Amino acid sequence: MLVTQVTLRRWAQVPRRLALVTAPQADETLASWVDRMARANRCPPDEVADLMGLHLRGVYASSRPPVFGVQCDEAVRQAVYAATGVPGSAVNRMHLSVFEGGPLSVAALLSASKAHWPSAAREWAEVYGSRACPCCLLASGGVWRLWWKLSCAAVCPEHQVTLLDRCPTCGWVLRWGGARPRVVPARWNRLPTCCANSVHGRPCAQWLPAARVSRADERTVDAQRRWLDTAYRRAHPTLGGAKVSARQWFQAFRACATFLRLGMPTILGRLPDIPGWCARALLDERAERNVYRGQFGWGPASAPAAAAFLTVVTPLLAAADRRELTRGLAPLVRAAIEEGCLTTRPLMRLPMPGVFARAVAAQMPVGPSARSPQRGSTRDEP
């Protein structure tokens, strides 16, 4: 009798197979797939998520599950497979954990999301919202790509346009959910190509493919492609001629972005061939992030800011050898020193690969109280 009750309880927890199943697309987020499933089944997304065994019903906006869309466990994989027939490997690919060990650390991302605050303070990704390419949304019928949630998502390599940050109608971050961010809507079925942020209790009806976007710089498009190739492990990165891991390459990228912020505005007059739009984006980003309040390590505040960092930093990291890398980093490091911001304390908090730290150390003033930035580099790096 006991065995029968346990068996029945287990069967009751297994989701029933849904009648209408929409196959997930390549590089699609979990929330996007749930939205499209809800559209096909003509019911709110939170009901579809509940039927899929994701257990989101009744969750308050301020206490949303931090793992949704970030990391997948075996229970979720089994529940989704039972409800949809989609294998666990496909479910894994819809989570930000795809970028673990590269541009992101899942553990840091989860700890940041528990604080009910955007995760960009610790990890350069957006747990709550997303950026988007209106052209991609139109062509795909509303598939939201996973890499759009990364803070360095700046331009669409396919359509060569700058990604959209905020809804032009409601002004909220895309897919944020308005004043009360939720995992998925609880009362309405949002069109995948629409904003659908909650504005005064109603979904925003902005059709995103109609939003105006600007043409991206060719250099930025090329930098975005290289950045994504490294994030998806399609390329083997190098720093100063030395092979490094994806994690080490992204550490160097974030360190360069920090140097740019700390060296503003002096650095603008020292960077060769920096476009005017790039300088304006960096100045706007500096005003929003306000480095003097300790936010120099945050992710880019907007798609234009991300485009500026990609345009400036990516060519520096492509140096052929350590000497070229040192010459490229010289204006960044020296401008930060002259602005009085680059001291050993913030520098020591930056994880940097060994070859990169040595190139930075070559620009640092030598004194009895100065500590080498190499001590801040990780031990397993070249």
Side-chain angles (χ1 to χ4, degrees):
M1 184 64 179
L2 178 61
V3 175
T4 303
Q5 290 179 350
V6 172
T7 304
L8 290 175
R9 190 179 301 112
R10 288 180 178 176
W11 275 106
Q13 294 174 352
V14 177
R16 298 176 61 183
R17 183 65 177 264
L18 297 177
L20 296 175
V21 176
T22 302
Q25 300 299 309
D27 195 38
E28 183 175 15
T29 67
L30 181 62
S32 172
W33 184 46
V34 171
D35 281 348
R36 295 194 302 112
M37 288 278 290
R39 189 71 178 174
N41 288 273
R42 297 184 179 182
C43 62
D46 78 323
E47 293 185 10
V48 171
D50 189 60
L51 292 173
M52 292 169 62
L54 299 178
H55 306 298
L56 304 180
R57 183 187 294 273
V59 175
Y60 291 103
S62 60
S63 60
R64 53 167 291 169
V67 297
F68 182 85
V70 177
Q71 191 175 37
C72 184
D73 57 20
E74 185 60 29
V76 170
R77 285 190 289 267
Q78 292 181 0
V80 172
Y81 179 76
T84 65
V86 174
S89 59
V91 178
N92 286 337
R93 289 193 294 269
M94 290 186 282
H95 289 74
L96 285 172
S97 55
V98 168
F99 303 109
E100 171 69 28
L104 294 180
S105 167
V106 170
L109 198 62
L110 294 177
S111 62
S113 63
K114 292 178 182 178
H116 307 160
W117 192 255
S119 59
R122 294 189 181 183
E123 288 298 306
W124 285 16
E126 185 58 80
V127 174
Y128 289 89
S130 176
R131 291 171 186 159
C133 170
C135 302
C136 288
L137 290 177
L138 179 62
S140 64
V143 173
W144 290 70
R145 300 187 182 277
L146 187 65
W147 71 272
W148 289 348
K149 298 179 73 68
L150 300 177
S151 296
C152 273
V155 299
C156 174
E158 180 180 355
H159 299 101
Q160 299 187 7
V161 297
T162 303
L163 299 184
L164 197 63
D165 283 305
R166 294 177 176 267
C167 173
T169 299
C170 69
W172 287 103
V173 174
L174 300 180
R175 285 303 193 255
W176 176 266
R180 300 179 67 243
R182 297 185 60 88
V183 174
V184 291
R187 291 179 294 172
W188 60 73
N189 188 355
R190 62 186 178 189
L191 189 65
T193 52
C194 286
C195 170
N197 275 332
S198 177
V199 182
H200 304 298
R202 296 181 179 180
C204 175
Q206 170 67 47
W207 191 53
L208 295 178
R212 182 178 299 178
V213 290
S214 59
R215 195 71 178 175
D217 191 302
E218 292 183 3
R219 288 174 292 181
T220 309
V221 174
D222 182 64
Q224 185 76 85
R225 287 196 183 102
R226 284 187 282 173
W227 196 93
L228 288 173
D229 286 342
T230 305
Y232 280 106
R233 310 296 202 281
R234 297 192 293 256
H236 301 285
T238 60
L239 284 175
K243 292 183 179 180
V244 295
S245 66
R247 177 180 62 86
Q248 295 165 345
W249 191 89
F250 284 107
Q251 285 177 349
F253 187 96
R254 293 178 66 165
C256 284
T258 300
F259 296 157
L260 274 174
R261 286 174 171 150
L262 295 177
M264 295 289 288
T266 303
I267 188 61
L268 295 180
R270 300 182 180 181
L271 294 176
D273 302 326
I274 181 172
W277 68 265
C278 193
R280 291 190 296 270
L282 290 173
L283 287 173
D284 293 341
E285 214 266 350
R286 179 180 185 267
E288 182 165 350
R289 284 295 185 234
N290 196 351
V291 298
Y292 295 108
R293 293 188 178 180
Q295 296 181 3
F296 55 83
W298 282 45
S302 63
F309 286 128
L310 286 169
T311 305
V312 175
V313 173
T314 307
L316 295 177
L317 300 184
D321 51 39
R322 178 182 168 184
R323 180 175 299 179
E324 184 180 342
L325 178 63
T326 302
R327 286 198 303 265
L329 292 176
L332 275 71
V333 178
R334 292 174 183 174
I337 294 173
E338 292 177 12
E339 285 292 318
C341 299
L342 186 54
T343 60
T344 51
R345 180 171 296 178
L347 186 62
M348 291 298 292
R349 294 203 300 263
L350 295 177
M352 293 184 291
V355 63
F356 184 86
R358 289 188 288 272
V360 173
Q363 314 300 328
M364 294 294 292
V366 178
S369 61
R371 297 176 64 188
S372 171
Q374 296 182 40
R375 295 187 181 181
S377 61
T378 52
R379 296 180 180 178
D380 59 337
E381 296 162 328

